[in-house]
Amino acid sequence: MWGKDLLCLADLTTDDVLDLLDLAADLKAERKRGVMEQRLAGKALAMVFQKPSLRTRVSFELAMTDLGGRALYLSPDEVGMGKRESVADVARVLGGYVDAIMARVFAHGDIVALAEWAEVPVINGLSDYNHPCQALADLLTIREKLGGLEGAQLTYLGDGNNVLHSLLFAAALTGMTIRAGTPVGYGADDAVIARAKELAQATGAVIETMEDPEAAVRDADVVYTDTWTSMGKESEAAARAKVFPPYQVNAELLAHASPSVGVMHCLPAHRGQEITDDVADGEHSWLWDQAENRLHAQKAVLVRLLQE
């Protein structure tokens, strides 16, 4: 077991990740059968949101319900973490009430501080540094669709943001090839790339960064994209809209990928910007399986952190 908290995928080992994926697959099959073991009966999860989310809230709340526990939603206005009340105080108060805390925040430092001050496990539901729960769901989806992860080629197009950071770690830990196609000035953090390459030494993963979107998608098994402007960077939207159009995932660009390529997007999608309607709703789309798998991957995380 990797430790008390899930803050970043780079804190896990390859065995940790594969264990979570195996457990997630088992929990998914269990749910499909309609018989779910109440592994977390009597447990409570506090869900602290600085940023809103459809998938994060519903998947974590339903995950706890399926497992026999309960989840408590705490909105930005209710808590005001870091403004109305310090992160340390929120952590200590919640730690006296619940068995775990999931937080979706702007600054990664807030997640780190929560974990430092809370005596219960803390799960990163998203931060500006990375998005580990999303990446676990992504790995589960790719493994289901391709039959395995090692050697699969994943291409990411667009902004070098928190989602790309987690995908770099995810690919490095599982022996995938990942190509990050990003515009000049919008690439992944250099320290993240260095860490991913360090992790890749143990698995044979290949980490590549480039600017040419056509070269990035060539022969790809999976093409992944995300919004060009993340929450909190709205003031940059106009400037970004001039830079990112060549990275749009559309039929013309996908013609350079594998004929059986799968397309992924962590959602919400800005249709007509980073992805076109015909691709998001077309035969290559894995978006809805990917969104569903947030539930199963997060159930695995909750079980490993709370049952053991």
Side-chain angles (χ1 to χ4, degrees):
M1 187 61 193
W2 64 87
K4 178 177 80 75
D5 311 299
L6 176 61
L7 307 184
C8 176
L9 278 193
D11 298 333
L12 277 61
T13 66
T14 295
D15 287 344
D16 292 331
V17 171
L18 296 179
D19 169 68
L20 285 170
L21 296 180
D22 289 342
L23 178 56
D26 291 343
L27 292 168
K28 183 174 183 176
E30 187 178 282
R31 192 170 199 268
K32 299 296 184 186
R33 292 194 300 270
V35 181
M36 292 173 284
E37 184 180 339
Q38 305 293 280
R39 292 172 172 83
L40 301 184
K43 302 288 187 180
L45 172 72
M47 305 188 300
V48 179
F49 283 80
Q50 290 181 337
K51 287 184 173 184
S53 173
L54 167 64
R55 282 150 295 279
T56 300
R57 178 177 178 181
V58 175
S59 57
F60 267 107
E61 190 161 335
L62 190 55
M64 287 299 291
T65 301
D66 280 359
L67 294 166
R70 62 180 301 191
L72 307 170
Y73 170 72
L74 299 168
S75 71
D77 291 338
E78 287 175 297
V79 180
M81 188 171 68
K83 296 179 180 179
R84 176 178 173 271
E85 194 161 3
S86 74
V87 177
D89 287 357
V90 170
R92 287 178 286 193
V93 169
L94 288 177
Y97 294 145
V98 301
D99 301 284
I101 301 167
M102 184 284 296
R104 182 177 168 88
V105 303
F106 286 95
H108 188 68
D110 286 348
I111 282 286
V112 174
L114 276 173
E116 178 182 354
W117 290 100
E119 294 185 1
V120 298
V122 171
I123 300 169
N124 182 358
L126 176 140
S127 70
D128 60 356
Y129 177 65
N130 79 142
H131 197 353
C133 293
Q134 179 66 56
L136 287 170
D138 298 338
L139 288 176
L140 180 62
T141 306
I142 295 168
R143 192 174 75 164
E144 287 176 344
K145 296 293 187 178
L146 299 183
L149 294 169
E150 189 172 358
Q153 182 180 313
L154 166 65
T155 292
Y156 176 93
L157 293 178
D159 186 29
N161 60 15
N162 49 3
V163 171
L164 174 55
H165 289 173
S166 283
L167 289 173
L168 287 165
F169 294 144
L173 286 164
T174 56
M176 299 174 69
T177 292
I178 182 167
R179 292 178 182 164
T182 59
V184 175
Y186 293 95
D189 185 87
D190 288 341
V192 170
I193 296 171
R195 178 65 175 139
K197 289 182 176 180
E198 182 182 335
L199 293 170
Q201 293 176 7
T203 64
V206 178
I207 312 294
E208 298 179 338
T209 59
M210 58 192 66
E211 297 164 17
D212 183 351
E214 185 177 311
V217 302
R218 190 167 295 128
D219 300 323
D221 299 307
V222 186
V223 172
Y224 196 122
T225 191
D226 188 15
T227 180
W228 294 339
T229 306
S230 298
M231 271 186 281
K233 295 187 176 180
E234 288 82 2
S235 64
E236 302 177 16
R240 287 169 174 261
K242 298 176 182 178
V243 173
F244 282 93
Y247 298 83
Q248 182 188 70
V249 178
N250 53 41
E252 181 180 357
L253 191 60
L254 285 182
H256 300 283
S258 165
S260 59
V261 65
V263 175
M264 302 179 75
H265 191 309
C266 56
L267 301 176
H270 300 81
R271 290 164 176 260
Q273 293 186 28
E274 71 268 10
I275 192 169
T276 57
D277 283 343
D278 60 316
V279 171
D281 300 323
E283 61 179 338
H284 296 287
S285 175
W286 295 354
L287 272 64
W288 320 118
D289 299 293
Q290 176 188 4
E292 179 194 335
N293 279 337
R294 287 288 302 276
L295 170 63
H296 311 302
Q298 288 160 190
K299 285 171 76 171
V301 170
L302 289 165
V303 168
R304 284 290 178 257
L305 288 176
L306 293 179
Q307 192 176 42
E308 299 181 3

